[in-house]
Amino acid sequence: MWLTNLALLVLLAAAASAATSATPGKVLSNHASILADGSTNLAFRLYQNMAKEKSVENILISPVVVACSLGLVALGGKGSTASQVKTLLSASKVKYEQLHSGLAELLNEVSDPKTRNVTWKISNHLYGPSSITFMNGFIKSSKTHYHCDHSRINFSDKKNAVNSINEWVAKSTEGKLPEVTKDVEKTDGAIIINAMFFKPHWDEEFHHKMVDNRGFFVPGSHTVSLQMMHRTGLFEFCDDAANKVYILSMPLAHKKSSVVFIMPYHLEPLERLEKILSRKQLDTWMGKLKPTAVAVSLPKVSMEVNHSLQKPLQELGLTEAVDKSKADLSYISGKKDLYLSSVFHAAAIEWDTNGNEIDTSIFGTDKLKTPKLFYADHPFIFLIKDQRTNSVLFIGRLVRPKGEKMRDEL
């Protein structure tokens, strides 16, 4: 009997030791954590690069999905064509098989609708010219890791090629994105397309009756009429007086991720704020957040944004895959006859009132006394930040929402 008890004590001690040494809240393998960190670094570099383009207004990109597109390039590439991807993702020491399994692990973790209680539909497609043949090994691996579809298409027939691409995007996003491109500039390369639809589900809802028509001010232009949703609650908040900016963090359902809004005090172009935006600055702001009573007013709008990422990614270091004379994507077709001619990133996001029931126990208490005001009626930057993986699911800015131009009334 005493031997049985001794064995039981040994097992309990081993279990206690394991529990003590385990990392609390760790959800990713080591290589997936490295890639989560790399995709977060990429988020700020890519945003800054795109924000410099004068023709770009609204921005909406998912760094995790962009990282997976880069992983697709590495899967099909050889030599420096593939190694540039690891450099871009700050993952030079990660083995290639771990690169692909790690990105797949990261994407599956952050986009699982059951554990996240979020609507996030992601589709990826690789289009190749009709002259090539996809290798079976590449097709199988890219489906396994990146859920990527494949098609050969006659790019020389530009009209039909564009129509086919746009039809796929519209179908993948249930009509949220009817178009991703109006033209196919180069007819002899491969195209990667990301198409996604994201709808946040707030941890505590906005009441559907607390919605009214207001104006959103566009710098140097006019006022747009749109719906605004309102609610008061306890949220993580920071008033950075030195930089004249408000930071508000609002949790999404299950509190595994949050939307972080970064808004200047007054109506102004976002260039000043974007000059100081970095991962280090975000970490500083996040460290200063405190539970605060805040009266929140946010636009109840949808954003549909299409970006061509080939040039920004090339400027950040993806130079070989996009160069016809240097690219080696022979793991895709079996020959050195392919290069990456375009990367399209199409995303739709809906800001709505939906969420879990509000905790009404704090209403009428001192906790909500004299709330701060966060009134988002002018351009702001936002991030959807994942708590469990510390990755950035989306980064973007709202400069010009959809809506009718408001007339000036005297």
Side-chain angles (χ1 to χ4, degrees), residues 68 72 75 97 100-105 107-108 124 136-150:
C68 288
L72 192 65
L75 185 66
E97 58 269 25
H100 305 305
S101 63
L103 286 171
E105 181 185 345
L107 185 63
N108 290 336
N124 299 305
N136 289 332
F138 174 79
I139 291 176
K140 183 178 179 181
S141 294
S142 58
K143 282 184 178 290
T144 299
H145 296 301
Y146 303 115
H147 310 293
C148 184
D149 293 326
H150 311 78

Short mmCIF file of all heavy atoms in Angstrom, two decimals, residues 68 72 75 97 100-105 107-108 124 136-150:
data_model
loop_
_atom_site.label_atom_id
_atom_site.label_comp_id
_atom_site.label_asym_id
_atom_site.label_seq_id
_atom_site.Cartn_x
_atom_site.Cartn_y
_atom_site.Cartn_z
N CYS A 68 1.85 35.30 -44.11
CA CYS A 68 1.54 34.01 -44.74
C CYS A 68 1.74 34.06 -46.25
O CYS A 68 2.15 33.07 -46.86
CB CYS A 68 0.11 33.59 -44.40
SG CYS A 68 -0.09 33.08 -42.68
N LEU A 72 4.29 31.79 -48.47
CA LEU A 72 3.97 31.13 -49.73
C LEU A 72 5.09 31.33 -50.74
O LEU A 72 5.45 30.41 -51.49
CB LEU A 72 2.66 31.68 -50.26
CG LEU A 72 1.98 30.95 -51.42
CD1 LEU A 72 1.53 29.56 -50.98
CD2 LEU A 72 0.77 31.74 -51.92
N LEU A 75 7.89 29.12 -49.72
CA LEU A 75 7.56 27.72 -50.02
C LEU A 75 7.89 27.39 -51.47
O LEU A 75 8.34 26.28 -51.78
CB LEU A 75 6.08 27.47 -49.75
CG LEU A 75 5.58 26.03 -49.89
CD1 LEU A 75 6.21 25.13 -48.82
CD2 LEU A 75 4.06 25.99 -49.77
N GLU A 97 10.98 24.35 -42.73
CA GLU A 97 9.79 23.58 -42.35
C GLU A 97 9.09 24.18 -41.14
O GLU A 97 7.86 24.15 -41.02
CB GLU A 97 10.16 22.11 -42.07
CG GLU A 97 11.19 21.88 -40.98
CD GLU A 97 12.62 21.84 -41.48
OE1 GLU A 97 12.89 22.43 -42.55
OE2 GLU A 97 13.46 21.22 -40.80
N HIS A 100 6.99 27.42 -42.20
CA HIS A 100 5.65 27.15 -42.73
C HIS A 100 4.70 26.62 -41.66
O HIS A 100 3.56 27.07 -41.55
CB HIS A 100 5.75 26.18 -43.91
CG HIS A 100 6.69 26.65 -44.98
ND1 HIS A 100 6.57 27.89 -45.57
CD2 HIS A 100 7.78 26.08 -45.54
CE1 HIS A 100 7.54 28.04 -46.46
NE2 HIS A 100 8.29 26.95 -46.45
N SER A 101 5.19 25.70 -40.83
CA SER A 101 4.32 25.18 -39.77
C SER A 101 4.03 26.26 -38.73
O SER A 101 2.93 26.32 -38.17
CB SER A 101 4.96 23.95 -39.10
OG SER A 101 6.19 24.29 -38.46
N GLY A 102 5.03 27.14 -38.48
CA GLY A 102 4.84 28.22 -37.51
C GLY A 102 3.83 29.25 -37.97
O GLY A 102 2.99 29.70 -37.18
N LEU A 103 3.90 29.64 -39.25
CA LEU A 103 2.93 30.60 -39.78
C LEU A 103 1.52 30.01 -39.79
O LEU A 103 0.55 30.69 -39.48
CB LEU A 103 3.34 31.04 -41.19
CG LEU A 103 4.52 32.01 -41.27
CD1 LEU A 103 4.97 32.21 -42.71
CD2 LEU A 103 4.18 33.35 -40.63
N ALA A 104 1.44 28.73 -40.14
CA ALA A 104 0.13 28.06 -40.12
C ALA A 104 -0.43 28.01 -38.71
O ALA A 104 -1.63 28.24 -38.48
CB ALA A 104 0.26 26.65 -40.71
N GLU A 105 0.44 27.72 -37.75
CA GLU A 105 0.02 27.66 -36.34
C GLU A 105 -0.47 29.03 -35.87
O GLU A 105 -1.52 29.14 -35.20
CB GLU A 105 1.20 27.20 -35.49
CG GLU A 105 0.90 27.06 -34.01
CD GLU A 105 2.13 26.71 -33.19
OE1 GLU A 105 3.15 26.29 -33.78
OE2 GLU A 105 2.07 26.88 -31.95
N LEU A 107 -1.61 31.60 -37.73
CA LEU A 107 -2.86 31.98 -38.40
C LEU A 107 -4.05 31.21 -37.85
O LEU A 107 -5.12 31.79 -37.61
CB LEU A 107 -2.73 31.75 -39.91
CG LEU A 107 -3.92 32.21 -40.75
CD1 LEU A 107 -4.10 33.72 -40.64
CD2 LEU A 107 -3.73 31.81 -42.21
N ASN A 108 -3.88 29.91 -37.63
CA ASN A 108 -4.99 29.11 -37.09
C ASN A 108 -5.37 29.54 -35.69
O ASN A 108 -6.54 29.55 -35.33
CB ASN A 108 -4.60 27.62 -37.11
CG ASN A 108 -4.53 27.05 -38.51
OD1 ASN A 108 -5.15 27.57 -39.43
ND2 ASN A 108 -3.75 26.00 -38.69
N ASN A 124 -6.96 32.87 -49.76
CA ASN A 124 -5.72 33.16 -50.47
C ASN A 124 -5.73 32.43 -51.81
O ASN A 124 -6.19 31.29 -51.90
CB ASN A 124 -4.51 32.72 -49.66
CG ASN A 124 -4.41 33.44 -48.33
OD1 ASN A 124 -4.41 34.66 -48.28
ND2 ASN A 124 -4.33 32.68 -47.23
N ASN A 136 2.80 19.23 -57.92
CA ASN A 136 1.87 18.64 -56.95
C ASN A 136 2.31 18.86 -55.51
O ASN A 136 1.48 19.11 -54.62
CB ASN A 136 1.71 17.14 -57.22
CG ASN A 136 0.94 16.86 -58.49
OD1 ASN A 136 0.10 17.67 -58.90
ND2 ASN A 136 1.21 15.73 -59.13
N GLY A 137 3.63 18.78 -55.26
CA GLY A 137 4.12 18.98 -53.90
C GLY A 137 3.84 20.38 -53.40
O GLY A 137 3.46 20.58 -52.24
N PHE A 138 4.00 21.37 -54.28
CA PHE A 138 3.72 22.75 -53.89
C PHE A 138 2.23 22.95 -53.63
O PHE A 138 1.84 23.60 -52.65
CB PHE A 138 4.19 23.72 -54.98
CG PHE A 138 3.81 25.15 -54.71
CD1 PHE A 138 4.54 25.92 -53.81
CD2 PHE A 138 2.70 25.73 -55.32
CE1 PHE A 138 4.19 27.23 -53.54
CE2 PHE A 138 2.34 27.04 -55.06
CZ PHE A 138 3.09 27.78 -54.16
N ILE A 139 1.40 22.40 -54.48
CA ILE A 139 -0.06 22.53 -54.30
C ILE A 139 -0.47 21.95 -52.96
O ILE A 139 -1.21 22.58 -52.19
CB ILE A 139 -0.81 21.82 -55.45
CG1 ILE A 139 -0.63 22.58 -56.76
CG2 ILE A 139 -2.30 21.71 -55.12
CD1 ILE A 139 -1.25 21.91 -57.96
N LYS A 140 0.03 20.77 -52.65
CA LYS A 140 -0.34 20.10 -51.39
C LYS A 140 0.15 20.90 -50.18
O LYS A 140 -0.62 21.15 -49.24
CB LYS A 140 0.24 18.69 -51.36
CG LYS A 140 -0.15 17.89 -50.13
CD LYS A 140 0.41 16.48 -50.19
CE LYS A 140 0.03 15.70 -48.93
NZ LYS A 140 0.59 14.31 -48.96
N SER A 141 1.41 21.32 -50.20
CA SER A 141 1.97 22.04 -49.04
C SER A 141 1.32 23.40 -48.86
O SER A 141 1.06 23.84 -47.73
CB SER A 141 3.48 22.20 -49.22
OG SER A 141 4.13 20.95 -49.19
N SER A 142 1.06 24.10 -49.95
CA SER A 142 0.48 25.44 -49.82
C SER A 142 -0.97 25.38 -49.35
O SER A 142 -1.43 26.28 -48.65
CB SER A 142 0.57 26.19 -51.15
OG SER A 142 -0.08 25.48 -52.18
N LYS A 143 -1.67 24.32 -49.71
CA LYS A 143 -3.03 24.13 -49.18
C LYS A 143 -2.99 23.79 -47.69
O LYS A 143 -3.78 24.29 -46.89
CB LYS A 143 -3.77 23.04 -49.95
CG LYS A 143 -4.30 23.47 -51.31
CD LYS A 143 -5.09 22.34 -51.96
CE LYS A 143 -5.67 22.79 -53.30
NZ LYS A 143 -6.75 23.78 -53.14
N THR A 144 -2.03 22.94 -47.32
CA THR A 144 -1.91 22.51 -45.93
C THR A 144 -1.57 23.67 -45.01
O THR A 144 -2.21 23.87 -43.97
CB THR A 144 -0.83 21.41 -45.80
OG1 THR A 144 -1.22 20.28 -46.58
CG2 THR A 144 -0.66 21.00 -44.34
N HIS A 145 -0.58 24.46 -45.39
CA HIS A 145 -0.08 25.51 -44.51
C HIS A 145 -0.83 26.83 -44.66
O HIS A 145 -1.08 27.53 -43.67
CB HIS A 145 1.41 25.75 -44.75
CG HIS A 145 2.28 24.58 -44.42
ND1 HIS A 145 2.33 24.03 -43.15
CD2 HIS A 145 3.13 23.84 -45.19
CE1 HIS A 145 3.19 23.02 -43.15
NE2 HIS A 145 3.68 22.89 -44.37
N TYR A 146 -1.19 27.18 -45.90
CA TYR A 146 -1.71 28.53 -46.16
C TYR A 146 -3.12 28.55 -46.74
O TYR A 146 -3.61 29.61 -47.12
CB TYR A 146 -0.74 29.28 -47.09
CG TYR A 146 0.66 29.35 -46.52
CD1 TYR A 146 1.73 28.70 -47.13
CD2 TYR A 146 0.90 30.02 -45.32
CE1 TYR A 146 3.00 28.74 -46.59
CE2 TYR A 146 2.17 30.08 -44.78
CZ TYR A 146 3.22 29.43 -45.41
OH TYR A 146 4.47 29.47 -44.86
N HIS A 147 -3.76 27.39 -46.83
CA HIS A 147 -5.14 27.29 -47.34
C HIS A 147 -5.26 28.05 -48.66
O HIS A 147 -6.21 28.80 -48.89
CB HIS A 147 -6.13 27.85 -46.32
CG HIS A 147 -5.96 27.29 -44.94
ND1 HIS A 147 -6.22 25.98 -44.63
CD2 HIS A 147 -5.53 27.87 -43.78
CE1 HIS A 147 -5.96 25.76 -43.36
NE2 HIS A 147 -5.54 26.90 -42.82
N CYS A 148 -4.29 27.84 -49.52
CA CYS A 148 -4.19 28.60 -50.76
C CYS A 148 -4.78 27.83 -51.94
O CYS A 148 -4.48 26.65 -52.14
CB CYS A 148 -2.72 28.94 -51.04
SG CYS A 148 -2.48 29.98 -52.49
N ASP A 149 -5.63 28.50 -52.72
CA ASP A 149 -6.13 27.95 -53.97
C ASP A 149 -5.17 28.31 -55.10
O ASP A 149 -4.36 29.24 -54.98
CB ASP A 149 -7.52 28.51 -54.29
CG ASP A 149 -8.57 28.05 -53.29
OD1 ASP A 149 -8.46 26.91 -52.81
OD2 ASP A 149 -9.49 28.83 -52.99
N HIS A 150 -5.29 27.59 -56.22
CA HIS A 150 -4.37 27.79 -57.35
C HIS A 150 -5.15 27.79 -58.65
O HIS A 150 -6.09 27.01 -58.82
CB HIS A 150 -3.32 26.69 -57.41
CG HIS A 150 -2.63 26.43 -56.12
ND1 HIS A 150 -3.23 25.70 -55.11
CD2 HIS A 150 -1.41 26.82 -55.66
CE1 HIS A 150 -2.39 25.65 -54.08
NE2 HIS A 150 -1.30 26.31 -54.38
#
